[in-house]
């Protein structure tokens, strides 16, 4: 199946949402994204990691090295308090945007 | 909060770079591992799994680059990396870097030093309150092209009373005085100033107070002294205020000391300021023009409006007293302080700028040439994910690193140069030292940055564009496209043109300088000592004549003295001191218009200085005090009034003494003596014998002594001879005529030396540039040359083809340079002292030198090309 491009600005939102469930490493995030999007999205690591680093720099995420279930070492990201706030704000805005877009499309 | 967080994070990234890089590397590696492990689980072989995982990452290095450049503060990181990369490049090729940095250091150093002089003279604020609101007010005759002139006391008074454009106008008059308290008697440069000068200028004393208008009007004997005099003569004692000192034998109370930085027109060396206390008579003397006036503009009034208003006002108020009435002009204080020097400075700064431009062009050429050999490296970086912008930025940072190092070396070079340039500061100005202040440093930084961009941009853009076009497939062999040579050739033409313009201008200045040196001064300058003994202690005419004659007698008696004479103004030093006069054939009205220099001399003056007689005779013993005295005139006077015939026997009357004035008979014509200064215009002059000059105040307080030994060795003996006659007599301004000439020529000397040095620098750089480009072309085209020679071209043909290219470039530069120089000619006219420059001669010389140098610079590489061994060249393929 052909993959969709991730719409501008929604990658951060999706990363934050995934991490709000549980801390996760980069590879795990790409996998979850693929699964959750039912294989419509596949995020390129070249886009994922810059986003992760930027969110970390902004204090939305906190990273630490931990062992994985398969006994590898990986860098786990988790949401900070400020990250949670950002997620709520973005989510609220996203809901409004999608509601608005849907309304327009259905009403036209 | 967010900002702080980011800042900490950025700092962390920068300071713990190694940790952060390792972290990133580990994380991406972990990604690959996990992805590969998943693939293996689903049945792929280990090797294939890893390959796919790496593919998914899209290249480990590119992914890292994405993360790095996506971070906040990434640019800082990139700049830092490029900086280190640049420094590594510089270390890798130290000879190349040294040449580039030295070239830039020369350019930046020369400009920094020149700018420090421009800053000190033209930019630095003057030591007055709101200096931009101060203007000088001058008198001007309504004659066409008349120069501005000093004001008279009544004009000052009327202007002050009637003007509507100034809040106030102050005036100052010459007032050199002799100080004779304790220690050796000495003459101090002084000014008599109106009591409002201080408030008009807006200055305060360092110690004590300034005097008041009331003290000025009532003629109170108070004096304000300079910081220099206070230090030198009074040991910087705070108790000097309130002390009484003897000036011209009269007691004055010191009321204040001015701060070190205070000075005002006409020179910076004034030591005492006394109340002008214009007498009622002086306030009616419209012909007494020795007053300098300065006014403070009312708020909202421009200098131009003030000038118009003052011109109209003076035409009106002077109409009743002088015919024709006088106009007035205003000028900025700085304009009068700086005078001609501003032209010199601007021309020199322009020349320095041209040198810097040539340096930049040279460096650009060097970088372009080197860029060719670095194409492979650049292509590699492009392949590793560097964008065009990143590559350009990297090249620019490299060139800025070079220019930064050049700037540091340049500032170090500028330091000694500034000591030399201090002599460019006009003597009128209080600035004695050139200093590195923030303006000068800013200037250096700005020109270094500009230079870095100028010489870095072309190579950067070219390098980046090529890299992206070619990638790696062009095995890195340099085949320079035709366009690159056109560009480099254009650069050579530009720098040659600039060098030619500088050489031509320098040549014209040198020509002028030689003409100045060869000017006939009208006297024999060697072995002539001069000094001044102010005669204020001798009040009557007879006392003065007797004292001067006694002084001359004592001086002549000193062993080693050949001859001695007296004159009212030391030759070559005083521009004015003139008088109105009337010829017997004229009616009275002309006396108001014609002015001649007036000099009073002793009998032996002309023979002492070695002046020569054109006709008639000099003064002799037959000239005794009478009401039918004699006069000697100069050639300018004779040819002005008696063209083609002899003035001997004609009569001339002085000033406006009317019927009581003596008629002087002209007895001789002296060949022009440059009384006003070496480089000054000639004016009509009238010489009178001191014993016959009882109707005016001029008296021969200046002395010239012809010695058989070096004149400086006679100074002590001369002083003692005079003090043996009167131990309170000051002996001032002791100097030799040769000193005077050297000092007067110091400005043209300096201009010539500096511009000459800049021109030579430019020529050297241009020659190096030509040499570099041709050498590079030869090196690059060795195989092509080999092929041509294998096909039968002779070494001579190859030599000629490269030589011809060098010559063509040089000729192109020469033509443009000549055009540049000729269009700059108008700018330098004030530096030519009225001499007509002979451009043909200079241009011929410049062309000769340039072509010779260019031939040499192209011959060496061309010869190298002609000696290429075809076998070896082709084997290099």
């Amino acid at each position: 199946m052909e993959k969709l491009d991730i719409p501008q600005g929604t990658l951060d939102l999706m990363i934050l949402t995934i991490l709000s469930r549980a801390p996760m490493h980069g590879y795990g995030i790409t996998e979850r994204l693929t699964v959750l999007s039912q294989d419509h999205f596949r995020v390129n690591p070249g886009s994922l990691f810059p986003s992760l680093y930027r969110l970390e720099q902004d204090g939305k995420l906190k990273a630490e090295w931990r062992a994985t279930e398969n006994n590898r070492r990986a860098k786990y990201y988790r949401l900070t308090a400020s990250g949670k706030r950002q997620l709520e704000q973005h989510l609220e805005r996203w809901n409004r945007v999608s509601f608005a877009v849907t309304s327009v499309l259905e009403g036209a | 909060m967010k900002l702080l967080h980011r800042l900490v994070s950025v700092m962390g990234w920068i300071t713990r770079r190694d940790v952060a890089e390792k972290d990133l590397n580990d994380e991406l590696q972990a990604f690959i591992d996990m992805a590969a492990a998943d693939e293996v689980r689903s049945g792929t072989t280990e090797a294939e799994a890893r390959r796919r995982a790496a593919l998914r990452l899209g290249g480990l290095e590119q992914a890292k680059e994405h993360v790095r450049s996506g971070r906040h503060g990434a640019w800082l990181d990139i700049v830092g990396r490029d900086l280190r990369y640049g420094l590594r490049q510089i270390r890798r090729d130290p000879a190349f870097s040294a040449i580039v940095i030295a070239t830039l250091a020369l350019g930046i150093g020369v400009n920094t030093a020149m700018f420090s002089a421009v800053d000190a003279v033209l930019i630095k604020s003057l030591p007055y309150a709101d200096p931009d609101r101060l203007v000088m007010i001058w008198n001007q005759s309504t004659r066409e092209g008349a120069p501005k002139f000093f004001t008279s006391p009544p004009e000052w008074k009327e202007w002050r009373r009637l003007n509507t454009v100034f809040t106030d106008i102050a005036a100052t008059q010459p007032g050199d005085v002799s100080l004779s308290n304790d220690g050796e008697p000495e003459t101090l440069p002084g000014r008599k100033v109106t009591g409002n000068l201080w408030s008009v200028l807006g200055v305060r004393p360092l110690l004590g107070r300034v005097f008041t208008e009331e003290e000025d009007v009532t003629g109170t004997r108070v004096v304000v002294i300079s910081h220099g005099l206070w230090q030198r003569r009074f040991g910087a004692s705070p108790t000097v205020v309130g002390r009484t000192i003897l000036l011209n034998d009269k007691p004055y109370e010191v009321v204040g000391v001015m701060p070190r930085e205070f000075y005002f027109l006409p020179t910076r060396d004034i030591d005492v300021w006394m109340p002008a206390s214009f007498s009622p008579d002086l306030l009616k003397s419209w012909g007494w023009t020795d007053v300098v006036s300065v006014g403070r503009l009312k708020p909202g009034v421009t200098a131009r409006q003030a000038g118009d208003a003052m011109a109209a006002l003076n035409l009106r108020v002077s109409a009743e007293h002088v015919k024709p009435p006088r106009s007035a002009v205003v000028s900025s204080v700085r304009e009068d302080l700086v005078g001609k020097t501003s032209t010199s400075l601007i021309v020199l700064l322009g020349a320095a700028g041209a040198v810097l431009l040539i340096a930049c062009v040279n460096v650009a050429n060097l970088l372009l040439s080197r860029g060719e050999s670095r194409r492979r490296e650049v292509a590699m970086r492009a392949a590793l994910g560097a964008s065009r912008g990143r590559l350009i930025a990297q090249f620019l940072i490299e060139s800025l690193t070079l220019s930064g190092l050049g700037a540091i070396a340049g500032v170090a070079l500028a330091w000694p140069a500034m000591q030399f340039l201090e002599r460019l500061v006009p003597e009128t100005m209080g600035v004695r030292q050139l200093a590195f202040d923030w303006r000068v440093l800013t200037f250096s930084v700005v020109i270094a940055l500009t230079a870095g961009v100028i010489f870095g941009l072309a190579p950067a853009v070219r390098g980046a564009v090529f890299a992206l076009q070619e990638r790696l497939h062009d095995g890195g062999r340099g085949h320079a496209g035709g366009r690159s040579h056109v560009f480099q050739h254009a650069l050579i033409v530009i720098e040659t043109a600039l060098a030619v313009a500088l050489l031509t201008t320098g040549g014209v200045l040198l020509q002028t300088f030689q003409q100045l040196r060869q000017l006939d001064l009208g006297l024999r300058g060697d072995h002539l000592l001069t000094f001044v003994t102010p005669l204020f202690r001798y009040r009557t005419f007879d006392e003065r004549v007797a004292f001067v004659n006694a002084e001359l007698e004592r001086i002549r008696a000193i062993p080693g003295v050949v001859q001695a004479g007296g004159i009212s103004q030391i030759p070559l030093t005083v521009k004015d001191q003139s008088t109105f006069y009337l010829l017997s054939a004229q009616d009275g009205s002309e006396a108001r218009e014609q002015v001649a220099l007036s000099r009073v001399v002793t009998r032996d003056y002309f023979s002492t200085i070695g002046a020569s007689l054109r006709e008639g005779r000099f003064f002799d013993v037959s000239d005794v005090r009478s009401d039918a005295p004699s006069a000697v005139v100069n050639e300018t006077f004779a040819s002005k009034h008696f063209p083609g015939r002899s003035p001997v026997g004609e009569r001339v009357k002085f000033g406006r003494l009317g019927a009581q004035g003596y008629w002087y008979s002209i007895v001789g014509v002296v060949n022009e003596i440059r009384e006003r200064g070496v480089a000054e215009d000639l004016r009509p002059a009238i010489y009178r014998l001191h014993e016959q000059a009882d109707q005016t105040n001029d008296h021969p307080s200046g002395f010239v002594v012809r010695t058989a030994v070096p004149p400086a060795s006679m100074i002590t003996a001369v002083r003692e001879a005079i003090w043996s006659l009167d131990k309170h007599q000051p002996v001032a301004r002791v100097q030799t005529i040769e000193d005077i000439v050297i000092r007067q020529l110091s400005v043209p000397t300096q201009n010539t030396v500096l511009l000459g040095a800049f021109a030579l620098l430019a020529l050297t750089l241009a020659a190096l540039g030509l040499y570099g480009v041709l050498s590079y072309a030869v090196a690059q085209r060795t195989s092509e040359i080999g092929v041509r020679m294998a096909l039968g071209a002779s070494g001579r043909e190859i030599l000629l083809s490269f030589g011809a290219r060098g010559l063509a470039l040089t000729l192109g530069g020469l033509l443009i340079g000549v055009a540049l120089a000729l269009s700059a000619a108008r700018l330098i006219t004030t530096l030519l002292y009225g001499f007509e420059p002979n451009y043909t001669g200079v241009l011929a010389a410049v062309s000769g030198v340039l072509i010779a140098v260019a031939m040499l610079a192209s011959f060496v590489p061309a010869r190298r090309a002609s000696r290429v061994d075809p076998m070896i060249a082709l084997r290099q393929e």
Side-chain angles (χ1 to χ4, degrees), chain B residues 606 611-619 631-639 642-650 666-672:
Chain B
F606 291 113
S612 59
L613 188 66
R614 194 183 84 180
E615 59 180 300
R617 64 172 176 88
F618 287 143
F619 299 115
V632 170
V633 296
N634 67 353
E635 287 180 287
T636 308
F637 187 98
S639 53
F642 309 98
R645 59 198 174 97
S646 170
V648 172
E650 300 288 342
I666 297 172
V667 296
V669 179
V670 63
N671 283 322
E672 219 61 72

Side-chain angles (χ1 to χ4, degrees), chain B residues 42-241:
Chain B
S42 60
T44 325
T45 64
E46 171 82 23
E48 176 61 17
R50 295 205 74 81
R51 200 186 68 82
R52 283 197 200 161
L55 216 56
R56 230 176 113 185
L57 199 59
L60 188 60
E61 287 306 316
Q62 272 110 328
K64 280 191 200 170
E65 187 63 34
H66 273 145
V67 173
R68 288 187 202 117
S69 59
R71 296 176 63 94
H72 298 300
W75 62 272
L76 249 180
D77 184 44
I78 289 167
V79 167
R81 204 139 34 93
D82 286 348
L83 204 62
R84 270 195 307 283
Y85 186 74
L87 285 171
R88 202 154 14 148
Q89 287 294 333
I90 287 168
R91 275 202 303 273
R92 185 182 296 167
D93 196 347
F96 174 87
S97 311
I99 292 174
V100 168
I101 293 171
T103 308
L104 289 171
L106 275 176
I108 294 174
V110 158
N111 278 275
T112 301
M114 271 316 302
F115 180 77
S116 73
V118 170
D119 175 43
V121 176
L122 298 179
I123 301 175
K124 199 166 268 173
S125 174
L126 297 171
Y128 320 115
D130 245 339
D132 298 338
R133 304 298 296 162
L134 286 176
V135 295
M136 310 300 300
I137 315 159
W138 305 93
N139 223 324
Q140 193 174 40
S141 156
T142 47
R143 260 186 305 125
E144 187 83 19
K148 63 188 188 191
F149 203 67
F150 298 101
T151 316
S152 63
E155 278 168 312
W156 166 72
K157 187 182 136 207
E158 293 299 299
W159 292 352
R160 194 179 177 209
R161 194 165 66 86
L162 297 171
N163 88 83
T164 54
V165 287
F166 295 107
T167 54
D168 201 357
I169 301 174
T172 82
Q173 257 190 322
D176 290 4
V177 286
S178 292
L179 173 67
S180 49
N181 287 46
D182 20 280
E184 282 184 7
E186 68 172 313
T187 303
L188 302 176
R191 296 296 284 181
K192 293 192 275 185
V193 306
T194 54
N196 63 343
L197 177 73
W198 320 106
S199 63
V200 169
L201 297 182
V203 291
R204 286 167 198 285
L206 177 71
L207 281 184
R209 61 178 180 88
V210 292
F211 48 79
T212 62
E213 280 204 66
E214 200 193 329
E215 284 170 312
D216 176 22
V217 174
T218 56
T220 316
R221 286 195 186 138
V222 285
V223 62
V224 172
I225 65 172
S226 72
H227 192 269
L229 182 67
W230 177 54
Q231 300 258 314
R232 179 166 60 78
R233 192 79 192 218
F234 301 101
S237 156
T239 62
V240 70
V241 173

Side-chain angles (χ1 to χ4, degrees), chain A residues 24-102:
Chain A
M24 183 59 66
H25 47 71
Y27 180 70
I29 298 172
T30 52
E31 290 304 292
R32 283 204 75 87
L33 232 153
T34 313
V35 173
L36 291 173
S37 70
Q38 301 175 9
D39 235 11
H40 287 292
F41 289 149
R42 176 162 261 189
V43 67
N44 178 355
S47 318
L48 175 73
F49 283 105
S51 280
L52 284 173
Y53 272 71
R54 203 167 38 240
L55 287 166
E56 186 191 351
Q57 263 192 315
D58 287 342
K60 309 301 175 202
L61 301 181
K62 194 127 180 90
E64 60 180 341
W65 284 89
R66 268 202 260 152
T68 67
E69 57 271 36
N70 299 325
N71 239 352
R72 297 174 186 281
R73 275 172 49 73
K75 197 171 173 188
Y76 278 77
Y77 293 88
R78 69 178 167 76
L79 230 52
T80 61
S82 141
K84 282 201 183 90
R85 272 199 303 281
Q86 169 141 343
L87 174 59
E88 282 157 21
Q89 284 167 14
H90 279 205
L91 213 51
E92 202 257 348
R93 197 174 316 140
W94 171 254
N95 287 335
R96 278 172 58 195
V97 168
S98 64
F99 171 77
V101 173
T102 317

Side-chain angles (χ1 to χ4, degrees), chain B residues 4 35 130 263 283 340 389 403 459 528 558 584 612 623 643 658 721 765 792 830 855 857 868:
Chain B
L4 188 74
D130 245 339
Y263 67 96
L283 285 173
K340 254 186 189 181
S403 74
L528 263 188
I558 303 170
S584 54
S612 59
D623 299 306
L765 288 175
T830 58
M855 296 276 261
V868 165

Side-chain angles (χ1 to χ4, degrees), chain B residues 201-391:
Chain B
L201 297 182
V203 291
R204 286 167 198 285
L206 177 71
L207 281 184
R209 61 178 180 88
V210 292
F211 48 79
T212 62
E213 280 204 66
E214 200 193 329
E215 284 170 312
D216 176 22
V217 174
T218 56
T220 316
R221 286 195 186 138
V222 285
V223 62
V224 172
I225 65 172
S226 72
H227 192 269
L229 182 67
W230 177 54
Q231 300 258 314
R232 179 166 60 78
R233 192 79 192 218
F234 301 101
S237 156
T239 62
V240 70
V241 173
R243 261 173 79 175
T244 298
I245 58 176
L246 281 182
L247 297 178
N248 286 0
D249 274 356
K250 292 180 202 125
Y252 278 77
E253 186 195 340
V254 177
V255 295
V257 178
M258 291 309 285
R260 183 198 299 275
E261 59 276 6
F262 175 73
Y263 67 96
F264 187 59
L265 283 163
T267 72
R268 65 180 168 201
D269 293 322
I270 301 298
D271 274 331
V272 291
W273 294 272
M274 298 154 292
S277 304
F278 292 129
S279 65
D281 272 351
L282 211 49
L283 285 173
K284 283 182 220 139
S285 305
W286 289 79
W288 191 284
T289 47
D290 66 351
V291 171
V292 172
S293 296
V294 57
R296 182 168 287 280
L297 294 169
K298 276 187 180 161
V301 176
T302 65
R304 175 186 285 267
Q305 288 165 345
D308 294 344
M310 291 310 293
L313 174 64
N314 207 33
L315 283 171
R316 185 156 58 80
V317 298
S318 64
E320 291 171 34
H321 308 276
V322 285
K323 276 195 192 79
R326 298 179 193 144
S327 179
V329 288
V330 305
S331 52
S332 77
V333 175
R334 193 182 300 270
E335 189 183 321
D336 285 311
L337 281 173
V338 174
K340 254 186 189 181
T341 309
S342 65
T343 317
S344 310
L345 283 176
I346 288 163
V347 168
L348 287 172
L349 188 65
V355 170
L356 180 64
L357 209 53
I358 293 176
C360 285
V361 167
N362 252 4
V363 172
N365 249 335
L366 282 170
L367 289 179
L368 278 174
S369 300
R370 195 177 63 154
E372 299 293 331
S373 55
R374 280 179 62 188
R375 279 155 96 181
R376 211 173 179 169
E377 165 210 330
V378 177
M380 176 78 83
R381 288 179 63 85
L384 287 177
S387 65
R388 180 194 307 204
R390 279 284 296 114
L391 284 177

